[in-house]
Amino acid sequence: LLVLFFLQTEEGRTSTFNVSPLKIVLSGKSSSALVEITNQSPEPLRLQLSVSSWDQSPIGELLLKETDEVILFPPLLTVEPGEKRKIRLGAVTPRGATEKSYRIILEELPPAAESPAEARNQIRVLTRMTIPVFLESPKQVASGTIADLTVQRSAASFEIRNTGTGHFSVEHIDVKGTGSTGKPLLTRRLDGWYVLAGGSRRYDLPLSAEECRDLRI
């Protein structure tokens, strides 16, 4: 006896909303800012908002910790369909010798009026996004270096180090290598990202056996 059970569900549902701006810079002249959220979906949007301090590991992982150095209001928000709402955030900590970095975390909450039947018969995708916030130092200096370039264990490795007092963004990284005769042997493009003040970003590029044997630094 073969029994088949079918569970009919609706298509996955997700809210559509815009956030502006997508990057916030606070300074001595302007220690507060407004963030505008526009609900483009046909149902109310419920959001929970918080702020965390932001650091990065050498491989680019976000390291977030709770902080009270930047505050925002309101922390809970309902945006009706087609409506625009604003949240205000501000720094309540003095600026330091180097830039400080944070992230606003926006987490979508399930609809308040969703019935048990609706919850069972549909898959809802809840959005979570973060927005970078920078508190500038009194003296912003842009400076960076490429260091520790090595080729070993079938990989080429190097670091991009931020030696300045503010963040910078790397759009992409082109890696080119030649053999002992000067013949082009390696051409790769790597994705870049933020490198925070005083931080570094390490890249490890896998090499084939031939590339590892013939590549010249």
Side-chain angles (χ1 to χ4, degrees):
L1 178 64
L2 179 62
V3 181
L4 300 180
F5 294 92
F6 292 92
L7 176 63
Q8 185 174 5
T9 64
E10 298 179 10
E11 294 182 359
R13 298 176 64 181
T14 182
S15 297
T16 303
F17 62 94
N18 285 341
V19 180
S20 178
L22 294 177
K23 174 183 172 181
I24 298 168
V25 178
L26 305 177
S27 65
K29 294 182 179 179
S30 178
S31 60
S32 64
L34 292 174
V35 178
E36 185 175 80
I37 300 171
T38 305
N39 184 4
Q40 297 179 316
S41 67
E43 58 185 17
L45 170 69
R46 299 175 65 235
L47 292 174
Q48 176 176 285
L49 303 102
S50 60
V51 182
S52 295
S53 64
W54 168 31
D55 199 357
Q56 288 181 186
S57 73
I59 60 173
E61 295 173 319
L62 269 66
L63 304 177
L64 303 177
K65 293 183 180 179
E66 291 185 7
T67 183
D68 57 4
E69 295 181 349
V70 174
I71 58 175
L72 58 76
F73 183 84
L76 292 172
L77 191 67
T78 299
V79 189
E80 298 298 328
E83 185 183 20
K84 295 182 179 181
R85 293 286 303 275
K86 293 181 179 180
I87 63 171
R88 179 175 290 277
L89 73 149
V92 292
T93 184
R95 294 186 294 166
T98 59
E99 182 180 73
K100 298 179 182 180
S101 53
Y102 309 89
R103 287 233 163 208
I104 300 174
I105 302 170
L106 299 92
E107 298 178 281
E108 184 183 359
L109 301 176
E114 188 173 57
S115 69
E118 289 176 324
R120 286 195 304 269
N121 294 332
Q122 68 182 4
I123 300 172
R124 180 175 293 276
V125 179
L126 299 178
T127 302
R128 183 182 189 274
M129 67 179 297
T130 67
I131 300 173
V133 178
F134 299 99
L135 179 58
E136 288 185 334
S137 67
K139 286 188 177 182
Q140 288 288 102
V141 178
S143 176
T145 62
I146 297 177
D148 293 346
L149 176 60
T150 60
V151 177
Q152 59 182 358
R153 296 182 181 178
S154 302
S157 301
F158 62 93
E159 280 190 0
I160 297 177
R161 295 177 182 172
N162 186 338
T163 56
T165 62
H167 74 281
F168 59 75
S169 299
V170 179
E171 182 177 349
H172 59 259
I173 303 146
D174 289 324
V175 181
K176 298 181 180 180
T178 59
S180 57
T181 62
K183 178 182 178 181
L185 185 65
L186 172 70
T187 301
R188 304 277 178 84
R189 171 163 287 190
L190 305 176
D191 293 332
W193 206 44
Y194 287 108
V195 184
L196 303 180
S200 64
R201 177 71 166 87
R202 182 171 183 83
Y203 290 87
D204 296 300
L205 180 64
L207 302 175
S208 67
E210 178 184 2
E211 290 170 336
C212 192
R213 182 183 65 245
D214 298 338
L215 193 64
R216 180 181 64 184
I217 299 180

